[in-house]
Amino acid sequence: MKLAIFDEQRCGVIDGHEIVDVTAAVPHHDPDPFGAGWWVRLVRDFDSLRGALEELAAAGPRQRLADVRLHPAVLNPPKLLAAAANYAAHVEEGLAHVERLQYLDAGSVEWMKNFGVFLKSTSSIVGPDDDVLIPADRLEAGIETHHESELAVVIGREGRDIAEADALDHVFGYTLGLDISLREPTDRSFRKSFDTFTPIGPCVTTADEIPDPGKLQIRLDLDGHVRQDCNTADLLVSVPGIIAYASQAMTLYPGDVILTGAPPGVGLIEPGQLMTTSIEGIGTMRNAIRVRSAARA
Ligand code: MN
């Protein structure tokens, strides 16, 4: 099932080029995005709700996808985590970027090669058709902003110290995420957390439709030119490995989102360009790049 959130925070099931409104089968639904956490509860209780959702998905009101506004496929996730240095070829190109931009000292460069998991702000999340805004002062200072296109995992079942062998049992589903990153010498959790720096969507595909997250093709085109075209088979630490690693430190809760790391091919994005990103079995996002100029109160 491909679950999406659209228009007045309605819950929908994507079926080809159409979306079916299944909100009536969602308990505690609240159109206020700061409402009672209905999406997290839906993820947590999905097994018991699936029957009603499927029934409504077959019979409910349909609209053309093109006629609705899709919101981020996740709503107020408790945590937004991301893996670093998780494709060998990206680690190599990252070091090359660092050398060219002369950002970091030798110790930091060494540190960058290591796999790790860090937090991004959940307020950086935007939808699959929303703009990515680059701060004007960074543009003026010549600081580069890069795209990273990543498979994202949505946790369904709470757990801590999860064994790798059990990890996929804790997955609710998968979605597509961009981890937009300023290449500046500030902490990862800061330079990747600017508003709009984490487009997520167009849907969460439930895990039953993606039995093996380790063989998905990810592709990002910039203005129609291929930038990233890679398979999750090349992840250095697999999806189960990332879940096991993160859960050593923190309990993973239903609705938590984990970006799995950037494939090779990251690069500069500039205002006026358009990113088209897709993962097989999930869908496509189209995010235009613009300048964030005026200060917001
Ligand atoms: Mn990343």
Side-chain angles (χ1 to χ4, degrees):
M1 193 178 289
K2 294 180 170 58
L3 286 164
I5 302 171
F6 69 104
D7 291 347
E8 303 301 314
Q9 303 295 321
R10 309 293 293 174
C11 183
V13 172
I14 292 180
D15 181 9
H17 294 293
E18 294 182 319
I19 187 163
V20 189
D21 192 329
V22 294
T23 311
V26 176
H28 318 291
H29 182 266
D30 187 335
D32 182 345
F34 288 98
W38 63 267
W39 179 80
V40 168
R41 291 161 93 160
L42 170 66
V43 168
R44 182 191 65 185
D45 302 333
F46 184 74
D47 286 345
S48 64
L49 299 171
R50 176 193 279 274
L53 288 163
E54 279 175 348
E55 215 168 283
L56 196 49
R62 285 171 176 264
Q63 284 174 272
R64 280 163 20 106
L65 257 183
D67 293 338
V68 304
R69 169 147 191 246
L70 287 177
H71 296 293
V74 300
L75 177 62
N76 298 331
K79 284 193 286 296
L80 175 59
L81 297 165
N86 205 14
Y87 288 86
H90 171 60
V91 173
E92 287 305 314
E93 76 183 357
L95 297 175
H97 280 304
V98 163
E99 202 166 279
R100 181 170 57 83
L101 298 171
Q102 300 183 327
Y103 281 162
L104 300 169
D105 57 33
S108 304
V109 171
E110 197 55 38
W111 169 80
M112 269 187 58
K113 293 183 202 169
N114 298 327
F115 172 80
V117 166
F118 59 92
L119 283 154
K120 293 190 75 166
S121 170
T122 54
S123 54
S124 67
I125 295 173
V126 290
D129 303 309
D130 290 342
D131 294 345
V132 166
L133 303 178
I134 301 178
D137 60 346
R138 292 339 197 257
L139 284 168
E140 281 157 25
I143 290 168
E144 294 191 4
T145 305
H146 287 193
H147 59 78
E148 300 184 357
S149 57
E150 310 188 12
L151 172 70
V153 178
V154 179
I155 296 296
R157 186 153 66 82
E158 179 179 327
R160 206 189 66 197
D161 291 321
I162 298 168
E164 221 174 297
D166 302 329
L168 292 186
D169 297 340
H170 289 262
V171 174
F172 169 69
Y174 301 92
T175 185
L176 168 58
L178 288 173
D179 175 21
I180 303 297
S181 307
L182 288 173
R183 298 297 184 217
E184 65 174 27
T186 54
D187 194 273
R188 276 192 181 111
S189 68
F190 178 80
R191 63 189 172 81
K192 291 168 173 274
S193 283
F194 282 65
D195 288 358
T196 75
F197 273 20
T198 315
I200 289 183
C203 64
V204 177
T205 301
T206 50
D208 56 293
E209 292 188 17
I210 300 182
D212 184 1
K215 52 175 189 188
L216 298 173
Q217 198 70 19
I218 306 176
R219 178 174 164 142
L220 183 145
D221 290 1
L222 187 72
D223 285 344
H225 302 285
V226 185
R227 276 285 186 87
Q228 298 184 287
D229 193 9
C230 176
N231 200 282
T232 55
D234 295 326
L235 282 167
L236 294 175
V237 178
S238 65
V239 167
I242 297 167
I243 292 169
Y245 180 87
S247 73
Q248 289 174 35
M250 54 198 118
T251 300
L252 298 180
Y253 289 100
D256 280 350
V257 177
I258 310 175
L259 295 158
T260 56
V266 305
L268 179 67
I269 53 175
E270 293 179 298
Q273 295 177 322
L274 176 73
M275 294 176 286
T276 306
T277 320
S278 60
I279 298 185
E280 55 179 320
I282 296 168
T284 301
M285 299 198 292
R286 288 172 195 83
N287 303 97
I289 301 148
R290 308 210 183 283
V291 186
R292 181 173 101 176
S293 39
R296 186 172 172 227

